[in-house]
Amino acid sequence: DPGGWLTVAATPWIARCDGPVKHALDRYKYPVRYDGVDPLDHRAKAAEFLSDLDQAVSCGGAIIGERTSIADIAIFPFVRQFAQYDRDWFDAQGWTALCRWLDGHLDSPLFQAAMVRHPPWREGESAPVLVLG
């Protein structure tokens, strides 16, 4: 744990995001995949979590206090997906701390290194090698 990310307090945040929030996110982004789904109802359900998250990060800049934890790293991709689907709506919610937190993760060297786009590998080419740091 070189970044000091692991903490027991992260478990409830991650469980909530990986369960009900992921369920709502899928139905918000992809309503045609599910029968009888109103995407705006699911957006509202996820927005409750995002409001709680905004409150949490407004206290110290991270979900649990002042330092990035496994909760931030695990939950960030879900928030990114939610925000990207309708960034105008997301930005209009007044989640100032959450937007700052999201933008900080989007601009982080870790995210930038992880999201480098490489050309697709083709038969006959050398195997790709990823070098970090």
Side-chain angles (χ1 to χ4, degrees):
D1 186 19
W5 292 349
L6 299 178
T7 177
V8 175
T11 305
W13 281 104
I14 294 170
R16 186 175 170 199
C17 184
D18 197 37
V21 174
K22 174 70 168 108
H23 178 90
L25 174 64
D26 287 345
R27 282 148 185 82
Y28 171 53
K29 283 181 64 177
Y30 312 110
V32 297
R33 294 182 184 175
Y34 306 94
D35 291 331
V37 167
D38 180 348
L40 298 183
D41 284 346
H42 289 281
R43 179 176 75 180
K45 289 174 185 171
E48 293 174 20
F49 174 78
L50 296 169
S51 291
D52 293 347
L53 205 54
D54 179 63
Q55 193 78 12
V57 300
S58 71
C59 295
I63 295 174
I64 303 167
E66 298 176 2
R67 292 190 39 211
T68 297
S69 74
I70 193 70
D72 298 276
I73 301 304
I75 292 170
F76 158 67
F78 294 98
V79 176
R80 176 178 171 261
Q81 284 184 57
F82 195 93
Q84 283 185 317
Y85 188 70
D86 186 347
R87 189 64 195 237
D88 291 336
W89 180 87
F90 185 87
D91 288 342
Q93 300 313 298
W95 297 323
T96 307
L98 185 59
C99 288
R100 186 172 39 254
W101 174 88
L102 175 61
D103 291 342
H105 284 284
L106 290 171
D107 294 338
S108 73
L110 177 62
F111 181 72
Q112 295 300 318
M115 295 304 286
V116 170
R117 296 216 184 257
H118 298 279
W121 178 82
R122 294 189 187 346
E123 185 84 30
E125 294 179 350
S126 299
V129 176
L130 178 61
V131 178
L132 297 177

